[in-house]
């Protein structure tokens, strides 16, 4: 696996410099932004469970539910796999999310092995688990595995940022956006960081949790 891994702020800075040289509109977007956050997170089961918890709820709600799960020590595969449905629901998970959490716990993913797989194979492995969609898998590859050349074209905040930065008549649809992002390889995840930061700056909203 020869893909570039983002490990430090310097890696992000290198990506920003490359993107700003290649695309003047990124350089313009960066003028009013502070240094981009590294945004790396631990990998493993808990990170994906956290992503499931955050689906279709506010950041505040997701953090409250995650806090209850953590307090109840329900953030490991064994704990979730053996928990009663009512226990997980009592901690704030909806019925579908209980199913997704238990499916993830039963999937027996070798998280350490994912670190050495190509990003495409990582995403393929993760989306095979019910409740893990392409967006969640891409975010995991970007921030839990530090992959430098992964993008999430289905993300609404990225789409809106692209509309603003590139002065598009409308948000790009996912397929077109994925094709548009090819030009930002091998630093597509840094392009995404620029766009999330630009979205937050202009909309005063947090693009991702």
């Amino acid at each position: 696996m020869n893909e570039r891994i983002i490990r430090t702020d310097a890696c992000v800075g290198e990506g920003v410099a490359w993107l700003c040289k290649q695309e003047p509109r990124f350089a313009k977007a960066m003028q009013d932004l502070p240094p981009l956050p590294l945004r790396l997170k631990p990998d493993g089961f808990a990170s994906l469970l956290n992503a499931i918890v955050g689906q279709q709820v506010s950041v505040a709600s997701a953090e409250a539910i995650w806090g209850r799960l953590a307090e109840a020590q329900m953030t490991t595969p064994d704990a979730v796999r053996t928990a009663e449905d009512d226990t997980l629901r009592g901690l704030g998970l909806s019925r579908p999310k209980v199913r997704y959490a238990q499916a993830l716990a039963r999937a027996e993913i070798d998280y350490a092995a994912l670190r050495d797989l190509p990003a495409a194979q990582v995403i393929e492995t993760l989306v095979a688990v019910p409740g893990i969609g392409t967006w969640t898998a891409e975010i995991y590859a970007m921030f839990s595995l530090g992959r430098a050349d992964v993008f999430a074209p289905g993300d609404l905040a990225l789409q809106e940022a692209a509309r603003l930065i590139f002065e598009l008549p409308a948000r790009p649809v996912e397929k077109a956006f994925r094709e548009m992002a090819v030009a930002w390889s091998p630093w597509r995840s840094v392009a995404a960081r620029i766009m999330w930061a630009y979205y937050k700056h202009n909309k005063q909203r947090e693009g991702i949790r």
Side-chain angles (χ1 to χ4, degrees):
M1 199 277 293
N2 296 318
E3 296 177 9
R4 178 69 184 263
I5 305 297
I6 292 176
R7 303 185 191 278
T8 67
D9 290 324
C11 298
V12 175
E14 181 182 345
V16 169
W18 187 92
L19 288 162
C20 289
K21 183 177 180 181
Q22 297 294 319
E23 175 49 74
R25 281 164 289 198
F26 280 137
K28 183 178 179 182
M30 283 297 300
Q31 288 177 355
D32 296 326
L33 298 179
L36 300 182
L38 186 58
R39 264 188 157 142
L40 291 185
K41 301 178 179 179
D43 64 343
F45 174 83
S47 289
L48 281 171
L49 179 61
N50 191 305
I52 289 172
V53 168
Q55 292 172 356
Q56 299 180 324
V57 298
S58 69
V59 170
S61 294
E63 289 180 348
I65 295 167
W66 184 253
R68 291 195 292 271
L69 288 169
E71 186 176 359
Q73 298 184 325
M74 285 291 170
T75 59
T76 66
D78 287 344
V80 172
R81 188 167 47 241
T82 58
E84 297 289 337
D85 288 8
D86 287 346
T87 298
L88 295 173
R89 290 195 65 215
L91 295 171
L93 294 183
S94 64
R95 281 192 176 90
K97 289 184 181 180
V98 169
R99 293 199 304 271
Y100 300 155
Q102 291 179 337
L104 179 64
R106 292 193 299 268
E108 297 184 352
I109 295 170
D110 186 341
Y111 292 100
L114 292 183
R115 299 169 190 165
D116 298 319
L117 293 180
Q121 197 168 343
V122 170
I123 292 166
E124 181 182 356
T125 299
L126 296 181
V127 299
V129 180
I132 303 294
T134 301
W135 180 88
T136 299
E138 288 166 341
I139 295 299
Y140 183 87
M142 293 166 89
F143 297 122
S144 290
L145 297 180
R147 300 304 172 87
D149 199 28
V150 174
F151 200 66
D155 187 278
L156 294 180
L158 290 182
Q159 292 174 3
E160 176 63 10
R163 184 187 71 80
L164 295 171
I165 292 170
F166 293 91
E167 300 180 344
L168 303 175
R171 294 174 182 173
V173 298
E174 184 171 348
K175 182 179 179 182
F177 200 16
R178 190 177 296 278
E179 293 171 357
M180 181 180 179
V182 170
W184 308 328
S185 179
W187 290 105
R188 281 177 283 189
S189 75
V190 177
R193 283 169 168 83
I194 293 174
M195 291 180 172
W196 274 313
Y198 190 83
Y199 178 88
K200 182 180 180 181
H201 177 77
N202 283 272
K203 299 289 187 176
Q204 295 303 306
R205 300 173 184 167
E206 181 61 61
I208 62 168
R209 176 166 164 259

